Amino acid sequence: MGVGAPSGVILDQSFPNPTAGSSTVRFQLSRPAAVRVDVYDVQGRRIQTLTDQSYTPGTHDVDWDASGLATGTYLYRLMVDGELVATKRATVVR
């Protein structure tokens, strides 16, 4: 987690990783929160928003359809209540 990140929030590694099509991003919350998960290319350009809504406490899965993306490394970022919590890498292969 990042400095000042909300406690009780976990971002798991996407699975499968690497992926050739769709992948799942899982995160856990200890309290209700507004969550946004974005996917970025390695140049830092946001290319997809996977979710941007409120969630209840618990474990949540968000589907990521990477089938239209080029082979390469991508970053996905979890924001909770407007604060960056974590960033992980995912690889797309063809």
Side-chain angles (χ1 to χ4, degrees):
M1 285 197 266
V3 175
S7 63
V9 178
I10 299 170
L11 177 63
D12 293 335
Q13 182 61 54
S14 62
F15 60 92
N17 187 24
T19 184
S22 67
S23 189
T24 300
V25 174
R26 176 173 289 164
F27 60 91
Q28 299 172 38
L29 302 172
S30 62
R31 60 177 174 75
V35 173
R36 182 176 176 122
V37 178
D38 292 312
V39 178
Y40 294 83
D41 64 16
V42 291
Q43 285 80 36
R45 296 178 296 223
R46 186 175 71 223
I47 57 170
Q48 287 179 311
T49 297
L50 303 183
T51 189
D52 187 8
Q53 65 184 39
S54 294
Y55 285 87
T56 58
T59 301
H60 303 277
D61 290 342
V62 178
D63 293 326
W64 174 31
D65 179 7
S67 61
L69 298 177
T71 296
T73 300
Y74 295 85
L75 305 172
Y76 57 98
R77 292 184 177 165
L78 173 68
M79 303 275 296
V80 175
D81 292 334
E83 296 183 46
L84 177 62
V85 173
T87 301
K88 301 262 183 171
R89 287 182 200 207
T91 303
V92 173
V93 293
R94 296 284 165 236

